[in-house]
Amino acid sequence: MSKKWLLVFAIVIFAAGMVFAQPQNIITVDIGPTITARNFDRIGAHYGLDFFDTSGFGIAAQYERQINRHVSVAGRFAYLGADLGYAAEAYGIRASIGIDINSFSLEGHARLYPFANGLFVGGMLGYARMSTDVTGEIIIAFGPLKFSQAASLDAARNYIIYGVKAGWRIDFGRPGGFILEPAVGFSWGTGLGETLQNQLLTETGARLAGLDDVFKTIEDSIFIGGIRVSLAFGWRF
């Protein structure tokens, strides 16, 4: 009889642990990179390129493991892309140019929850790759005569990235289930190998005015470094 009571007692303790245990796994999707991509309009206006048509998109996915009430670790994949396009036609001459810039990153995060609630601060270390593809075409037409010339340039660069972040993980109801996570941070990057502008310079054989400053700004404030606004949602289990 005593063995049966011990078994019942063990089952009760196990069930209570399951009920009151904190969920340790969190999977989220972040639309913050799309907000960052829209900064392309601001960059274009700053350099007098606001006549370009621009579009941008970004997304990130993260898995977080809660080690205890105060510490967690996470792995994150992020993608960011933006396009610039311009076309003009006059006197039988049509010219167009398109610039596609993309980046992706693989990141490791460590988080501290100092008050054992949803508020956190954290650090990040990871790898990123940024690439650009520039295409252009000119078409000259005079009556039945037509001449066209197209060109394409591409370049890519790798980076070591690091950063900091602070945010708030909001549980709806008891811990577990749907969560919302707004956060803000800042990232930096150290480039490896030749810069993108030098790679394009090698292909064209001529320096484009202001290209160094443009790419430096794009790297530091959008695709590799800069302010990072996060608006993630997901599931905690």
Side-chain angles (χ1 to χ4, degrees):
M1 187 69 178
S2 60
K3 292 183 178 181
K4 291 183 179 180
W5 280 109
L6 287 174
L7 179 60
V8 171
F9 180 73
I11 293 174
V12 170
I13 294 298
F14 177 76
M18 292 295 291
V19 171
F20 295 106
Q22 295 288 322
Q24 295 178 308
N25 305 287
I26 306 99
I27 296 176
T28 55
V29 174
D30 183 11
I31 62 173
T34 294
I35 301 173
T36 302
R38 296 310 304 165
N39 286 332
F40 230 13
D41 292 336
R42 177 176 56 83
I43 298 297
H46 177 77
Y47 285 100
L49 303 175
D50 46 346
F51 53 86
F52 274 84
D53 295 323
T54 63
S55 63
F57 172 77
I59 197 74
Q62 176 175 291
Y63 168 73
E64 180 183 358
R65 176 73 175 182
Q66 196 80 38
I67 305 301
N68 56 46
R69 296 179 65 192
H70 294 279
V71 178
S72 74
V73 293
R76 174 182 167 99
F77 170 81
Y79 167 81
L80 185 62
D83 303 323
L84 294 89
Y86 175 75
E89 184 173 2
Y91 305 107
I93 302 175
R94 175 179 172 80
S96 63
I97 185 173
I99 303 174
D100 297 334
I101 303 179
N102 301 276
S103 71
F104 72 87
S105 63
L106 300 172
E107 307 165 5
H109 290 253
R111 288 184 174 184
L112 173 66
Y113 293 82
F115 306 109
N117 57 15
L119 296 173
F120 69 86
V121 292
M124 177 272 290
L125 178 65
Y127 160 82
R129 182 175 176 85
M130 177 178 168
S131 61
T132 181
D133 183 22
V134 182
T135 58
E137 184 179 31
I138 183 169
I139 300 174
I140 303 175
F142 292 101
L145 302 177
K146 186 176 182 180
F147 169 81
S148 66
Q149 181 68 48
S152 178
L153 306 172
D154 59 81
R157 194 184 190 197
N158 300 315
Y159 303 80
I160 300 298
I161 55 174
Y162 38 95
V164 294
K165 179 183 283 189
W168 182 22
R169 187 175 67 201
I170 305 170
D171 277 291
F172 292 86
R174 65 178 179 83
F178 180 76
I179 65 165
L180 180 66
E181 187 182 282
V184 64
F186 199 93
S187 295
W188 297 267
T190 300
L192 308 175
E194 283 289 327
T195 64
L196 293 174
Q197 56 268 31
N198 283 347
Q199 293 180 51
L200 294 176
L201 171 62
T202 300
E203 289 197 50
T204 60
R207 180 173 296 277
L208 301 178
L211 188 63
D212 292 351
D213 290 341
V214 172
F215 272 103
K216 180 67 173 173
T217 301
I218 289 173
E219 290 177 2
D220 292 346
S221 63
I222 298 181
F223 287 91
I224 301 301
I227 296 173
R228 291 294 184 260
V229 176
S230 176
L231 183 59
F233 56 91
W235 197 259
R236 185 180 180 192
F237 57 96

